[in-house]
Each structure stands twice: as C-alpha cells, then as structure tokens.
Amino acid sequence: MNQTSRRKFLTQAGVITAAAMIAPKLLSAKAGHVAGLQLYSLRDQLPKDVKGYIAKVAGAGYKEVEPFGYSKKDGFWGLDAKAFSNLLKQNGLTTASAHFGMDQYFVEGKTDDLQTYIEAANITGMSYVIIPSINGEVLKSADQFKQVAEKMNKAAEICKKSGLKLGYHNHNFEWKPVDGTTFYDVVLKETDPALVHMEMDIYWVVRAGQDPIKLFQQHPGRFALCHLKDMDKTNHNLNTEIGNGAIDFKKILSYKKLAGLQHFIVEQENYTNIDPIVSITKSAAYVKNVLGV
C-alpha cells in the first residue's frame, strides 16, 4: 500500500470508527419520542379544509397527529380511514392514537362502535384506541367506578385481540371525591396495567390540584402518552402556547422515563389574539428545542 492509499485508508477507517461510536447515541437520543398534535386544537378549521390544514400541521413542525371524532359514517372529516391515512403519509405524518367516543359502550354496553374504531385504527397504523372521557351518567358512585373500570379491561381485551392497546384520557372531574374515593384512583387500581394505558392530560391534572410527578412516582410505567397543554398565567381557564404558561413542563418531563411516556401530544383548546397555526407552530418549536421531544 503506497503512502496516498494508506492515508486514504486511515482517514476512511477513522470516519467509520467515529460513525460507529456516534450512531448508537443518535439512534437512542429520541427513540420512540415524537412531537404530536391533538387535532382538536384545529376543530374549527379542519372541517373547512382537512387536506390544507393537515399540510399546515406538518409545516408547523409536527411528525404525529392524534385525531378525534371518527365515525364509520363520516370518517375523519369526510375522509374514510384509508384516505385519511394516505393524506397523513403524503405529509410525512403518522398517527399512534385517536380519541374515539365510547358512550355507546360504557352507557349502552354495545361494542358496535368499538369494532369500527378498531378497524379504523388498524387501517391508519395506530397503536392506541383512546377513551377521551366518560359519560357522567355512569359515574355517580364508587360501585359504578368499578363497573366502568371492568368495562375498560374488557374493551382492552377486545383491542388486544386486534393488536391494539386501550388508553384513557383524563380531564379534572376524575378527582371529585365520591364515596370516599375518586374515579381516577379506581381506574388505576382496578384496571390491568398491561392492558389499560393512561394518557395524562397534564393541564387537567394541574387544574384538578394534583401533581403529575407524584402520579408518575405512585404509578410508574402507566403513562404511555401525555397531552402538553399550557395554562395561562392569569386566567387558569385559558390555554396558551407551550412554554408561555404556568406549567413547568421541564420539571414534569424530567420524569418521563419513570412515567413510561412515549408520545407527547400538544393540545390547545382556545386561543387569545393569535392565529391557531402560529400558536401550534410556537408550541412545536418549544417542545422540540426546549423540552427535547
């Protein structure tokens, strides 16, 4: 080997060695963590131009979306599951979960809607069927709490047979004391941790006067997903862009491994003197650049 070839070989070998050392770090840095947007944030805009606004979501910096409001009849804003999935792919987006209305199941005991949700979730490549809320008619006593929790377990078994997981998204009513307990405590105690996964809406936990970190510590690994929704500093009924409000997301998300968090989903329910697309773009930048997810 002449001097030139030797020098070239050593240079290439050094590059390869450095790449081998760096690659694992790159692969592990944010494995499984992507910033998503709950599309309820754009509930007024999407019905007008679903294709245009999905493109704007991608342009705002998101890689994942969490839809809501699906029905077999109307699909996702007029698109069936396959067409909606194709729209996401065209914009470089994925969807790991969606909020599906479950009143038919929890109030009437019927699984017809659930089966259509499972079908749509599999077509779009989701992993989670999320219960967005529970009808208050079935939450009037501790006994009803347990009945609902058992129904969650059964629904989760149905989802599991189709390769999916069941999740539950909280508001703040879950911590209202009833018969010496709360609905949230019963759900965590009575549901199977291997089957029912929690999607913590951090804003609503704080609004309820609870501590997200304490919940992570008490129930490690239960929280596969979370909603990042900030609280206006002066009016706690209002939202603001992530990082502008009263919630210390840096501190809370420093416990993300303990919690088991894999999906971080921005949501904003109301806007004050700002265009929604500008708002979600600011939130995406903060989540990526400051929170590192």
Side-chain angles (χ1 to χ4, degrees):
M1 182 182 296
N2 61 37
Q3 190 67 24
T4 302
S5 298
R6 177 181 173 81
R7 204 163 33 239
K8 185 177 181 182
F9 169 80
L10 290 173
T11 300
Q12 290 175 338
V15 170
I16 293 169
T17 301
M21 293 173 66
I22 294 170
K25 296 179 181 178
L26 291 175
L27 291 172
S28 64
K30 297 180 181 177
H33 297 168
V34 292
L37 179 72
Q38 164 53 249
L39 294 178
Y40 189 75
S41 307
L42 299 175
R43 62 194 178 279
D44 295 329
Q45 290 76 27
L46 285 163
K48 301 173 185 176
D49 181 10
V50 61
K51 294 181 179 179
Y53 275 96
I54 289 297
K56 289 181 180 181
V57 169
Y62 294 93
K63 298 297 182 184
E64 183 176 292
V65 296
E66 185 177 63
F68 72 97
Y70 173 85
S71 71
K72 183 74 172 178
K73 176 177 177 290
D74 299 318
F76 296 100
W77 299 281
L79 300 177
D80 63 26
K82 185 176 181 180
F84 185 69
S85 180
N86 288 338
L87 175 62
L88 296 183
K89 290 175 183 175
Q90 290 164 11
N91 287 280
L93 295 167
T94 61
T95 177
S97 58
H99 282 198
F100 294 103
M102 298 281 279
D103 280 356
Q104 187 202 51
Y105 176 68
F106 287 108
V107 177
E108 302 173 30
K110 299 178 181 179
T111 61
D112 301 30
D113 285 350
L114 177 57
Q115 295 295 344
T116 67
Y117 300 157
I118 288 171
E119 180 184 6
N122 277 323
I123 289 172
T124 52
M126 295 178 191
S127 299
Y128 297 90
V129 169
I130 304 292
I131 303 164
S133 189
I134 299 288
N135 190 309
E137 291 301 310
V138 295
L139 295 179
K140 295 180 178 179
S141 70
D143 286 340
Q144 283 188 319
F145 293 172
K146 290 182 179 180
Q147 292 169 13
V148 169
E150 183 53 33
K151 284 186 176 181
M152 285 187 185
N153 283 328
K154 291 179 179 178
E157 289 281 8
I158 295 171
C159 289
K160 184 179 179 181
K161 290 177 182 178
S162 296
L164 296 167
K165 303 170 187 176
L166 187 77
Y168 179 72
H169 165 269
N170 66 277
H171 289 82
N172 61 342
F173 67 82
E174 287 86 351
W175 285 275
K176 179 183 177 182
V178 176
D179 297 339
T181 188
T182 70
F183 179 57
Y184 208 73
D185 286 339
V186 172
V187 169
L188 286 168
K189 181 180 178 181
E190 301 292 336
T191 57
D192 185 342
L195 292 174
V196 179
H197 306 266
M198 309 304 285
E199 179 178 64
M200 179 188 283
D201 190 309
I202 295 173
Y203 167 84
W204 285 115
V205 171
V206 174
R207 273 286 299 274
Q210 303 298 310
D211 183 353
I213 294 172
K214 186 176 179 181
L215 287 168
F216 294 159
Q217 292 170 333
Q218 292 173 336
H219 306 279
R222 284 302 302 265
F223 303 89
L225 317 93
C226 70
H227 275 191
L228 305 178
K229 185 191 308 176
D230 216 340
M231 178 184 289
D232 186 89
K233 291 178 180 178
T234 56
N235 184 347
H236 291 180
N237 293 320
L238 298 178
N239 299 156
T240 187
E241 291 69 50
I242 311 301
N244 282 356
I247 297 177
D248 190 349
F249 286 106
K250 291 181 187 177
K251 182 178 179 181
I252 293 169
L253 294 188
S254 70
Y255 290 83
K256 61 180 179 286
K257 289 184 180 179
L258 176 68
L261 288 168
Q262 291 294 317
H263 298 276
F264 303 82
I265 304 162
V266 171
E267 182 182 28
Q268 188 155 338
E269 294 186 7
N270 45 69
Y271 303 89
T272 304
N273 300 321
I274 188 170
D275 181 271
I277 297 301
V278 174
S279 176
I280 66 169
T281 301
K282 288 185 175 182
S283 289
Y286 186 88
V287 169
K288 178 181 178 182
N289 299 326
V290 180
L291 300 182
V293 297

